[in-house]
């Protein structure tokens, strides 16, 4: 802001200021001196020169505020001095003093740029008055210049601030046409400001927001309308979406808030004009949208997550209730997907999951929702349906889509999904109930093996509760080490010697006593608790075997049952071997018992890990041989040492003669492959006789001994006792 101060005082100060220097160029020495003393008396400093050349020389080197020059000098005219001073471009006032009476001389002097003309003889007061006048003029010019400079600077500053504002700043006339807009518009919207002047403001607004913009602009024309802030999308060629989002502020320009505008702007007289600021909030909005999206979606597949699924399910229930419709909630789970993680790594497994989600989505209708819960689990909201057949049809479509092998590094991979279905309204009328019941049904679906499904039934719930109960208890039991191992001898039929023992897990339940594995192994397998449990079994078996070796009573080998889930661990083989090393147990004395279903889903992975074990010396036995999916092919893929004939065949020996052919065939396969054969579950003398006749090498069963606690077995081994039946 420019401060004018007190005008009168400033002028006096300037003219009384001793720093005012006046040069008198006058060849009449006396006259020059008397003028000089007059000026000095007036408070100024005055110097004299007798010739034009001397005067101009002095002016070229010294600063003066005023020149008094005689028109007739010996070397040149006063006019000439005025011309030279003007030509030098200095803004130095020159007063021409002359005895000339002709008006021409005065006019010419003034034309040449003299500040004033004073005639001789000089009247002192008149001269002083004229000098003051000229000095005041000069002072005013200087002040004006510096004011002008300040104004320019201030204008440049405001211009700079406006043009470099991060916001778009604009003014509108009463018809809401743009009268001013700053440079920011070019950068934000890709439109030159000149092209916008005179155009309606709504032209800038993105089509979908125009109606709202018109409303706001109409409103703001009402008198006394307070400033408004609205969020508007403005069309932008700078953004791939075609718009950017702005928080736009509109304020009417009133007399009160524009009185400082100088010079007056057209809107001051033309009524309801407006000033506005549009702030680009696109990035903030997008960041918020991104965050909201990620709170509700799964990052890997982009599918809704559990939270969003729950919300949509809530809406579906409300709608279905109103329209009396039925719909299904389907819980899908990929069978044995964890093996893909451990075999191929997370990056490739994630890629497969993305493909799975895409394939499932292809089977859905517009209103259906597919959500990813975790890992390989999906929830599907299938609406509306007429009957269970509609759900069956969707599940079949999904099964077909998944049937096409997935490729991982040129390896085709076959995957199946199991499903559990809960229907609205019969299986629940809240999101929680439907999701939970679909999950319970899934558990039953999976029991039937891979690629199957089940619809929820009330009876499943009690079973699920029991399972959940066991799961919690199992977890605690592992922490509290409530387990123990029993060992069942395996003896040689021919020489009656003990060949090995099988380690069998028991849960020493605080309330229910000793529980057999059949009561909890299933839950342990499903929940993955089998992995820490198996680790304990291996460690404990190795510890006892080492103890028996040190006592010199050890059986030649210990059989350990291996869960398929253990093989899913990427570090399985190393962990297994390090347990043996830790207890100093030779690998040859451990026989791992596996069942054939270990090979169903991922034979390649199972074969490779088991081969690794055999290379390190561990023996492999096929347990419950003949009861499950059988492929003799894998028997040749790595060295198997033992076939264990399942007890169901052994028990048939007494009852059904037709079964003899099966057991005979199994024994001959074993012989053909050069394998050790152990018959399990031998309970009677007749079974023993038959097996001996057929050339079976070993037996295991209650006839010899029930599984014994470690201490009991130890006593038994220490006595070197033979089972009574064999002694007979
Ligand atoms: P399996 O490996 O086939 O074990 C043999 C089962 O048959 C044992 O049942 C054993 O007590 C029983 N058995 C042996 N001889 C006779 C007999 O003469 N008559 C009758 N009726 N049964 C006999 P158990 O101990 O209840 O184990 C059941 C299954 O649990 C085992 O079958 C095995 O698959 C699993 N299991 C046991 N311990 C473990 C373990 O540590 N890890 C894993 N993953 N599974 C285990
Ligand atoms: Mg076994
Ligand atoms: Mg068995």
């Amino acid at each position: 802001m420019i401060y004018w101060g007190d005008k009168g005082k400033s002028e006096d100060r300037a003219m009384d200021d001793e720093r005012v220097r006046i040069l008198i160029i006058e060849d009449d020495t006396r006259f020059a001196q008397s003028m000089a003393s007059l000026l000095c008396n007036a408070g100024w400093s005055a110097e004299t020169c007798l010739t034009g050349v001397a005067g101009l020389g002095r002016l070229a080197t010294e600063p003066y505020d005023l020149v008094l020059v005689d028109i007739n000098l010996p070397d040149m005219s006063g006019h000439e001095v005025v011309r030279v001073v003007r030509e030098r471009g200095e803004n130095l006032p020159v007063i021409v003093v002359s005895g000339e009476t002709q008006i021409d001389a005065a006019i010419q002097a003034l034309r040449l740029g003299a500040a004033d003309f004073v005639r001789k003889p000089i009247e002192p007061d008149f001269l002083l008055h004229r000098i003051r006048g000229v000095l005041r003029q000069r002072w005013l010019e200087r002040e004006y210049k510096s004011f002008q400079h300040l104004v320019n600077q201030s204008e440049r500053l405001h211009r700079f601030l406006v043009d470099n504002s991060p916001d778009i700043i604009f003014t509108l006339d009463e018809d809401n046409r743009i009268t001013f807009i700053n440079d920011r518009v070019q950068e934000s919207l890709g439109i030159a400001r000149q092209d916008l002047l005179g155009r309606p403001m709504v032209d800038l607004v993105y089509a979908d927001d125009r109606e709202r913009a018109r409303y706001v602009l109409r409103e703001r024309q009402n008198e006394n309308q307070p400033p408004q802030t609205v969020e508007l999308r403005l069309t932008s060629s700078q953004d791939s979406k075609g718009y950017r989002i702005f928080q736009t502020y509109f304020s009417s320009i009133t007399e009160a808030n524009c009185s400082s505008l100088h010079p007056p702007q057209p809107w001051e007289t033309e009524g309801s004009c407006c000033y506005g600021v549009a702030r680009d909030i696109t990035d903030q909005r997008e960041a918020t949208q991104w965050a909201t999206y990620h709170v509700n979606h799964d990052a890997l597949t982009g599918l809704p997550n559990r939270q969003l699924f729950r919300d949509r399910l809530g809406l579906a229930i409300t709608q279905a209730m109103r329209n009396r419709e039925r719909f299904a909630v389907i819980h899908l789970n990929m069978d044995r997907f964890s093996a893909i993680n451990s075999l191929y790594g997370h990056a490739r497994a994630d890629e497969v999951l993305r493909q799975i989600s895409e394939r499932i989505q292809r089977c859905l209708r517009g209103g259906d929702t597919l959500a990813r819960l975790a890992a390989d689990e999906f929830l599907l909201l299938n609406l509306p349906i007429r009957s269970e057949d509609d759900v069956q049809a969707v599940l079949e479509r999904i099964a077909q889509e998944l049937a096409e092998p997935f490729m991982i590094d040129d390896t085709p991979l076959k995957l199946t999904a199991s499903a559990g279905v809960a229907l609205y309204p019969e299986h629940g009328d809240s999101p929680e109930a439907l999701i939970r019941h679909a999950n319970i049904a899934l558990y039953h679906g999976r029991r039937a093996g891979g690629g199957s499904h089940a619809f929820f039934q009330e009876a499943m719930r009690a079973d699920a509760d029991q399972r959940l109960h066991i799961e919690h208890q199992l977890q605690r039991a592992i922490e509290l080490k409530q387990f123990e191992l029993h060992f069942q001898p395996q003896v040689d039929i021919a020489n009656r010697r003990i060949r090995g023992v099988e380690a069998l897990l028991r849960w020493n339940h605080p309330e229910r006593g000793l529980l057999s594995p059949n009561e909890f192994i299933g839950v342990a397998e499903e929940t993955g608790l089998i992995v820490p449990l198996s680790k304990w079994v291996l460690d404990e078996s190795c510890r006892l075997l080492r103890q028996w070796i040190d006592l010199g009573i050890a059986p030649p080998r210990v059989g350990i049952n291996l869960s398929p889930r253990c093989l899913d661990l990427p570090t399985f083989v190393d962990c297994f071997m390090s347990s043996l090393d830790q207890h100093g147990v030779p690998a040859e004395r451990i026989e791992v018992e596996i069942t054939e279903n270990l090979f169903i889903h991922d034979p390649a992975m199972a074969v490779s890990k088991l081969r690794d074990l055999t290379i390190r010396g561990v023996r492999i036995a096929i347990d419950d041989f003949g009861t499950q999916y059988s492929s003799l092919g894998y028997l040749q893929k790595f060295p198997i040492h033992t076939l264990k004939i399942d007890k169901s065949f052994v028990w048939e020996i007494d009852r059904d003669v037709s079964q003899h052919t099966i057991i005979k065939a199994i024994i001959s396969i074993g012989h053909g492959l050069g394998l050790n054969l152990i018959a399990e579950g031998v309970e009677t003398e007749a079974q023993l006789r038959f097996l001996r006749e057929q050339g079976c090498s070993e037996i295991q069963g209650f006839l010899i001994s029930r599984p014994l606690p470690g201490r009991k077995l130890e006593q038994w081994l220490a006595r070197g006792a033979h089972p009574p039946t064999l002694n007979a």
Side-chain angles (χ1 to χ4, degrees), residues 62-125:
E62 301 278 329
Y64 288 94
D65 298 294
L66 186 92
V67 181
L68 286 172
V69 63
D70 185 15
I71 204 146
N72 291 317
L73 295 169
D75 50 349
M76 61 176 71
S77 77
H79 290 132
E80 190 63 9
V81 173
V82 173
R83 196 181 55 72
V84 173
V85 168
R86 290 285 82 87
E87 273 174 9
R88 283 181 183 169
E90 291 163 19
N91 188 22
L92 178 65
V94 183
I95 296 177
V96 176
V97 182
S98 167
E100 299 269 342
T101 51
Q102 295 95 330
I103 190 77
D104 296 6
I107 292 171
Q108 199 192 349
L110 293 171
R111 263 197 195 137
L112 285 168
D116 207 348
F117 180 86
V118 182
R119 218 150 40 89
K120 290 182 186 170
I122 284 176
E123 171 59 39
D125 284 347

Side-chain angles (χ1 to χ4, degrees), residues 488 502-506 516-518 521 530 537 561-563 593 623-624 647 651 680-683 701-702 707:
Q488 191 174 32
E502 179 179 5
L504 293 160
L505 186 60
R506 299 289 179 265
S516 117
N518 295 331
I521 285 282
I530 191 69
V537 170
N561 293 285
L562 185 70
S563 153
E593 297 192 8
D623 205 353
D624 306 341
K647 43 187 172 293
W651 294 341
E680 286 187 299
V682 179
E683 294 181 347
F702 293 175

Side-chain angles (χ1 to χ4, degrees), residues 151-168:
V151 167
N152 285 344
Q153 259 188 340
S154 169
E155 150 77 11
R156 277 210 306 276
L157 175 68
H158 285 99
R159 188 93 217 169
F160 174 84
L161 292 177
V162 168
D163 280 341
N164 288 282
S165 158
D167 304 329
I168 298 176

Side-chain angles (χ1 to χ4, degrees), residues 684-717:
T684 65
E685 292 291 345
Q687 291 161 359
L688 172 63
R689 243 190 334 270
F690 178 86
L691 290 162
R692 188 189 280 137
E693 282 162 15
Q694 293 303 315
C696 178
S697 34
E698 294 177 30
I699 54 164
Q700 171 183 350
F702 293 175
L703 183 66
I704 311 300
S705 167
R706 286 181 177 267
L708 302 168
R711 255 179 308 102
K712 277 237 169 104
L713 178 81
E714 201 172 301
Q715 291 164 3
W716 199 70
L717 290 169

Side-chain angles (χ1 to χ4, degrees), residues 348-510:
R348 288 198 180 89
D350 282 354
E351 181 48 40
V352 174
L353 279 173
R354 263 193 291 270
Q355 288 180 28
I356 289 171
S357 77
E358 279 165 22
R359 290 199 197 180
I360 301 176
Q361 272 174 298
R362 278 186 227 148
C363 309
L364 311 184
R365 296 167 303 178
D368 297 347
T369 295
L370 178 68
R372 180 166 170 249
L373 285 192
D376 55 343
E377 285 184 58
F378 298 88
L379 269 180
L380 170 55
L381 177 59
N382 183 219
L383 33 90
I385 54 155
R386 282 160 310 193
S387 68
E388 294 190 4
D389 291 348
D390 288 352
V391 184
Q392 301 270 16
V394 173
L395 292 172
E396 268 162 39
R397 277 206 300 279
I398 293 174
Q400 274 166 19
E401 276 289 344
L402 297 178
E404 181 72 21
F406 292 81
M407 297 301 290
I408 297 189
D409 297 342
D410 298 331
T411 310
L413 208 78
K414 279 206 158 184
L415 291 176
T416 54
S418 297
V421 185
L423 301 174
Y424 173 87
E426 47 268 63
H427 298 151
D429 57 5
S430 71
E432 289 70 28
L434 287 165
I435 292 174
R436 184 167 136 66
H437 292 162
N439 175 262
I440 290 173
L442 168 68
Y443 167 71
H444 284 263
R446 274 166 56 178
R447 268 188 183 171
S452 43
H453 67 264
F455 283 78
F456 176 75
Q457 289 166 20
E458 222 19 75
M460 291 176 178
R461 205 198 326 234
D463 195 49
D465 290 346
Q466 172 70 6
R467 211 164 44 91
L468 200 68
H469 187 59
I470 292 182
E471 185 184 331
H472 287 312
Q473 287 192 326
L474 253 185
Q475 212 138 20
R476 252 187 94 58
I478 292 175
E479 287 159 20
L480 299 175
K481 300 204 166 41
Q482 289 175 347
F483 297 94
E484 57 185 72
L485 285 184
H486 285 197
F487 296 89
Q488 191 174 32
Q490 299 163 331
V491 298
D492 193 321
I493 296 184
N495 62 19
R496 307 171 186 184
R497 283 178 184 278
I498 185 155
R499 287 271 162 237
V501 290
E502 179 179 5
L504 293 160
L505 186 60
R506 299 289 179 265
W507 178 0
N508 206 345
H509 195 282

